[in-house]
Amino acid sequence: MVNPMKALVITAPGINCDLELAQAFEAAGVTPEPALLSALARDPSIIDRFGMIGLPGGFSYGDDIAAGRIMAALIRERLYPALRAAIERRVPMICPCNGFQIAVQAGLLPGPVDGAWPTEPALATVALSNNASARFEDRWTRMEIPAGTVCVWTRGVACEGEDSMLPCAHGEGRFVTTPTVLTALESRGQVAMRYAQRDNFNGSMGAVAGLCDESGLVFGLMPHPERYTRFTQHPWWTRLPIAMRRTAPLGLRMFQAAVACARGEEVAR
Amino acid sequence: MSAVRAEPAQQAAHHSTHRVHRIEVRPADGQRDMRGESVQRQCAATAMAGDAVPTRVEHRSVYLIEGALDAEQLTTLAHELFADPVTQTATIDGAVAAAVGAVTVEVHPLPGVMDPAAESVQEAIHALLGVRTQVRTGERFDFAGCTAAQARGWAQRLLANTVIHAIHDGPFHPASFPEGRPYALAIRSVPITPLDDAQLDAMSRSAHLFLSLDEMRAIQSHYRSLGREPREIELETLAQTWSEHCVHKTLKSTVRYSAAAGHAPVTGDGRPGHEAVDGGIVIHNLLKSTVAAATHELMADGIDWCLSVFKDNSGVIAFDESWAVCFKVETHNHPSAIEPYGGSATGIGGCIRDIIGTGRGAKPIASTDIFCVADVARTEVPRGCLHPRRILRQVVMGVRDYGNRMGIPTLNGTVWFDDRYVGNPLVYCGCVGLMPRTFVKGQVQPGDAIVAIGGRTGRDGIHGATFSSAELTDTHADEFSHAVQIGNAITEKRALDAILAARDHAKGCLFSALTDCGAGGFSSAVGEMGGTIGAEVHLDRAPTKYDGLSPTEAWISEAQERLVLSVPRANLPALQAVCDDHGVELCDLGTFGTPDRSIRLLWKGTEVGSLDTHFMHDGIPTPTRTAIWDATWAASFAPSVRVDPMVAAGNLQATLPALLASANIASKEWIIRQYDHEVQGSSVVKPLHGPQSGPGDASVIRPVAASARGLAMANGLATGLAADPYWMGLAAIDECVRNLVCVGTDPSRIAILDNFCWPSCKDPRNLGALVRASHACYDGAKAYRTPFISGKDSLNNQFTTDDGTTIQIPPTLLISGFGLVEDSDRCVTMDLKGVGHALVIVGTTTTATGGSQVRGLGSTAGDDALPKTDLAAGPANARAVAGLIGAGHVLSAHDCSEGGVLVAAAEMAFAGDLGIELDLASVPGAGEAFVAAFSETPSRYLLEIDPSRLDAAMAALSAAGIVHARVGTTTADRRVRAGGSSWSLDDLAAAWRSGGQGW
């Protein structure tokens, strides 16, 4: 039985943002349930029961070789068919940070161009490489949501002023691809989020911070929206207008938008 | 891979040969090489006169794989595992030639050194191909514009540490990996009973036991009474158990304390355990009579929220009705001196394990780190020392890579610079944990299985406990390379996840007690847990990293990421299932409880050692140590002076930027941003504030997401006052409390920790200084009502150079604190909030400028006495400020510490991007403007208050009898004005940043 109000949070050795991801789902009204990759590999049909999926951040398998590389290889090998099936039955999926790095290497992003997912995972066409500074950085950055994006997590979500910020914390987040691929992604509305001008600290091509697949359901991004679901998580909350405390923060609004989509609701934007 | 397994592949059909394959990964054509570029930048930034700076550096990753793999399998690995199809290219079994004019050097871990990436790769290959392989990883660097010798020089200086790395000229591709040989049992007895004193002393040093003559004699007479010689494994166990590191014998000893000639006699001042004798004081157990006494007296006097103090791996206090929080801070100084990256990483790793190993398991939720290093600008260092710039950069990397991988936010810390840390840097690592109150205590049950989980045992870290208790010399890197350890954070993260799953198991907690394997390895973990009931340990069952470990090595190895659990045998299958799910290795080492309460060590059924637990834990002699308070000697620990002529001349305009740019005050943002301080989503007050990233006082987290109650953490360090450790200790406690109070912590719910790092206490004058600091701990904790709940000491921090000069570190006392914030939605930060607000100072300012930062730059303003913490005003000021914050009167609060009022005001201004008009003449107590600006009197706070709240706030302070004054107003013009001088915020922020960049 698929339960649209239950979210699967996939964990593995070194995944360490599962807690905040679960809390974000919960704050958006969905019950999170963690499951280890090893258990899912034994029985991939567990995935069929969930209405939403999260692939959290962290340092899966130490990020040895490269960020997300080993976990992506394992997902290609064991979970790809079940995850593909989930996307085909319109399950929204979020992959922040390490999850994004994994998703682009596991053939989950940017996904197919003609609506049909291949039987075997596709080879990566985009990459998240070493930051321009060649080191890990933790900083909040201003984000922009491109007007034409098809992403169910960001489309129409307000993103302005001090409330347009999200925390980034990564060493390998520089988006790299070919100009052709980037143009194609932009034209199909698959660029779901960008760093605002002057906030592209990792040197990403096209200032791309997040991508979605063609359906808009699968969303990968380097920032951590799950770490901005309470006003006191904002780095300057003590100096922001009190009125801002009464509205849901940007990160939470993104989860709420996807939950509405999972429920089949049209959301008032 | 235990997490995801593949069916074993049918290998016979392939043309595979068992040999070492080499896969090299480089950026694809047109892709930037960020790592190579970064190395080139580091060469340019650290080059000294005469160095050839490379024009270009290229980086490649190298994987050496020993196993039976055919060409197709290698291609699969190269393209699906090692190289990214967009950004990278792989070469199989060959090395791409270096560019014309470039030379290749490769850096690989030495055989036997932990290689975490290799372990992950082995698992991944097994999961993908079903083939077991041995993997080693390395890095290749091609230097252009350098000779081979110069490239090797850069590799030695920046890329490799020969204690753990081999540097190869050209691509490294061995035919096979060295293998261990199976161990053949040989039980070695050590003839100790016939030795004379000189021989006992010689044996203690040559066998790296580092025991005193008294202790060697006690062991000798114990074995004489048994009528046999000790076996090697027994002697090693006693040396570990009795090491300063494990047993804190100096702090627990009886001390005869007196004053040096010409000084006034010392007094006990009514402190417990202090007995007046002719010519001085006898202190019975220094620790118990000072640090611990304060806690026990406070607990007897109404503090009911201390749940476990001094006994367990960390100190535990109540958080709310359901939850408890615990805190531990450790040092990892000596390993970090030799191998800073591994030393600091295993430092934080060990401290995290202490939290996991508290009670029946706590979840680590926040980390701290404090480093003390020499001046990074110095051009040379004594033989046998690493350059402080390299030490600092690498200890930061070590904490970053371990803490970030573990998913624990690093929220608080500081760096202190003093040239006397040149041979003996200090690395303090702290960790805070959260646990349900039901799990605060554990109890080993006789008959429980001794279960080791986590990493495998190897030869790494042997003699770490005794090494940490020795004095460093110019040859220590060669002599103690075996004590160096490299951590694997993911192994520890898996163990943590498995332990929490076992603790919160549907059948109830699966274990009775647990502890971490730290210094002394199994010998200390099992020795402590089986302390009163004994244990039978089968050492041959311990999973090892390679063949050939002797029972002694298995018993004392300090290999990382291991914990020992006491498990009822009925729960073993359930625990095994949890460990399997998390990919964690579990080993049943034996059973707790023996009929005679001894610890029996066995190897394949043969007894290889037997230890009397009573002698092990209580047999250590407790000689009376001599401590002398010698103020002249202590005065030599005052910080050194580097004269800035403008500061010496009392030029206010030049002094403020000079102070902001000085190393101890300058921005630490380059460090802070390398740590993930957001992970777990709990942070409320982060380390940096406002649009300009100003320096915060304390950090706050919300440990239980459903509750708005917060937990604040901070530290106090007043090494500038080392010339009198009593005033230094009080100032550190006061600073820690101030930092916590500034963010909104309830001062009646603060617990603190002590970490002493001292020069050798065999010198009675250094021990006298330690007594002074211990007195400060007792007096301070009582006055502020902040109980100590845990502590640690490291009492042999000095370095002897090859010409025989001994460099002693200044006595260093770190006070770490954490406390409750009733409503974290009402926290206060230090950045100015608005225009036209009043700036109010709380606390009096004195002319005592001794030990201050401005004196370090050559100023002689004020008088040279050390500032004295007032034990009445200090706690009263803290309570008053907390009251104002609680009443909602305070918009921003900042403590006045290094650099004084003007530096604090400047930091508030540029953090909030607002100006300040400061009237130095109205600062109570100081008089002269320059002294008012830069005096570092403790117990002072700067508060920003809205005019509508000002009267109420001032009235509350007056009513409580608190010294205070309005000293300024916030302005819109982005300038700081004081004493007739004026500075733009951009200039001040730039000065502050300049001192913290480019390292």
Side-chain angles (χ1 to χ4, degrees), chain A residues 16 20 38 42 59 61-62 64-65 69 78 136-138 140 174 176 227 230 233 236-239, chain B residues 3-4 34 81-82 120 127 404-405 407 581 673-674 676-678 680-681 684 686 690 829 831-832 912:
Chain A
N16 61 32
E20 54 265 43
S38 55
R42 272 200 306 272
F59 290 80
Y61 298 91
D64 293 323
I65 306 177
R69 182 71 54 78
R78 305 270 181 273
F136 184 98
E137 284 183 64
D138 177 332
W140 283 64
R174 183 173 52 97
V176 180
R227 295 183 186 173
R230 257 199 331 259
Q233 289 167 322
W236 313 333
W237 68 268
T238 56
R239 54 189 300 111
Chain B
V4 181
M34 296 303 184
L81 195 59
F82 293 117
S120 298
N404 290 356
R405 275 178 170 71
D581 268 352
R673 294 226 181 270
Q674 292 191 61
D676 191 336
H677 43 260
E678 321 262 353
Q680 300 189 13
V684 173
K686 301 178 212 288
T829 56
D831 48 310
L832 290 182

Side-chain angles (χ1 to χ4, degrees), chain A residues 138, chain B residues 327 348 364-370 399 403-404 407-414 430-432 671-689 695-703 711-715 743 817:
Chain A
D138 177 332
Chain B
F327 198 176
I348 187 67
I365 55 170
S367 293
T368 71
D369 62 80
I370 288 91
V399 168
N404 290 356
I408 302 166
T410 301
L411 276 165
N412 184 255
T414 195
C431 190
V432 172
I671 299 177
I672 294 167
R673 294 226 181 270
Q674 292 191 61
Y675 303 144
D676 191 336
H677 43 260
E678 321 262 353
V679 61
Q680 300 189 13
S682 56
S683 69
V684 173
V685 175
K686 301 178 212 288
L688 297 168
H689 294 291
D697 295 311
S699 291
V700 181
I701 54 173
R702 186 165 153 159
L711 183 70
M713 53 202 293
N715 65 74
V743 295

Side-chain angles (χ1 to χ4, degrees), chain B residues 556-924:
Chain B
I556 65 168
S557 160
E558 296 177 9
Q560 295 291 301
E561 288 93 29
R562 301 176 305 160
L563 291 109
V564 174
L565 282 70
S566 174
V567 184
R569 292 216 163 260
N571 292 344
L572 278 178
L575 182 63
Q576 182 73 59
V578 169
C579 286
D580 286 347
D581 268 352
H582 287 87
V584 173
E585 212 161 5
L586 172 156
C587 163
D588 178 355
L589 277 179
T591 305
F592 282 113
T594 52
D596 60 355
R597 301 178 176 192
S598 67
I599 291 190
R600 288 190 69 213
L601 304 173
L602 299 118
W603 184 267
K604 295 183 176 162
T606 304
E607 183 181 290
V608 295
S610 172
L611 288 142
D612 173 348
T613 47
H614 178 71
F615 178 69
M616 221 173 119
H617 295 297
D618 300 317
I620 183 168
T622 50
T624 297
R625 293 168 204 267
T626 306
I628 295 172
W629 169 238
D630 182 336
T632 315
W633 170 251
S636 70
F637 290 118
S640 60
V641 174
R642 182 165 305 157
V643 177
D644 177 327
M646 299 295 272
V647 177
N651 182 315
L652 191 75
Q653 183 71 39
T655 300
L656 177 59
L659 278 173
L660 285 168
S662 64
N664 285 329
I665 294 175
S667 171
K668 310 294 183 290
E669 183 175 357
W670 74 276
I671 299 177
I672 294 167
R673 294 226 181 270
Q674 292 191 61
Y675 303 144
D676 191 336
H677 43 260
E678 321 262 353
V679 61
Q680 300 189 13
S682 56
S683 69
V684 173
V685 175
K686 301 178 212 288
L688 297 168
H689 294 291
Q692 297 297 323
S693 299
D697 295 311
S699 291
V700 181
I701 54 173
R702 186 165 153 159
V704 180
S707 161
R709 182 171 283 195
L711 183 70
M713 53 202 293
N715 65 74
L717 186 70
T719 313
L721 310 185
D724 187 339
Y726 181 76
W727 299 114
M728 173 180 92
L730 288 183
I733 293 172
D734 185 79
E735 184 188 13
C736 181
V737 169
R738 282 193 324 261
N739 281 328
L740 289 167
V741 164
C742 279
V743 295
T745 308
D746 175 353
S748 71
R749 292 300 297 272
I750 292 173
I752 57 177
L753 289 76
D754 61 290
N755 281 85
F756 294 92
C757 285
W758 235 247
S760 174
C761 286
K762 287 184 191 128
D763 185 326
R765 296 169 299 183
N766 290 339
L767 189 56
L770 186 72
V771 171
R772 289 279 293 172
S774 304
H775 284 164
C777 287
Y778 175 82
D779 295 354
K782 290 285 302 281
Y784 288 82
R785 292 182 67 80
T786 51
F788 284 99
I789 57 167
S790 169
K792 200 91 180 159
D793 50 275
S794 168
L795 303 183
N796 218 339
N797 291 289
Q798 51 196 38
F799 181 88
T800 303
T801 63
D802 51 358
D803 67 8
T805 312
T806 295
I807 306 170
Q808 302 199 325
I809 67 157
T812 310
L813 170 59
L814 173 70
I815 299 291
S816 310
F818 68 159
L820 304 190
V821 178
E822 199 43 54
D823 180 358
S824 65
D825 289 355
R826 302 183 61 202
C827 280
V828 170
T829 56
M830 52 72 69
D831 48 310
L832 290 182
K833 303 298 187 298
V835 176
H837 298 165
L839 212 58
V840 171
I841 190 169
V842 170
T844 194
T845 301
T846 72
T847 55
T849 55
S852 65
Q853 292 298 301
V854 78
R855 285 215 163 224
L857 294 178
S859 168
T860 52
D863 61 81
D864 57 11
L866 300 184
K868 296 186 164 112
T869 301
D870 181 329
L871 289 181
N877 292 0
R879 279 193 300 272
V881 171
L884 297 187
I885 290 175
H889 294 325
V890 179
L891 292 167
S892 66
H894 196 23
D895 95 299
C896 302
S897 54
E898 283 82 24
V901 173
L902 190 51
V903 163
E907 289 171 345
M908 294 171 83
F910 63 68
D913 218 18
L914 290 165
I916 282 182
E917 177 89 49
L918 194 67
D919 175 19
L920 291 169
S922 54
V923 172

Side-chain angles (χ1 to χ4, degrees), chain B residues 235-255:
Chain B
L235 201 54
E236 289 282 3
T237 308
L238 291 169
Q240 306 290 324
T241 312
W242 289 7
S243 67
E244 186 69 60
H245 187 89
C246 291
V247 77
H248 308 290
K249 51 199 176 192
T250 302
L251 270 174
K252 287 180 178 170
S253 64
T254 300
V255 175

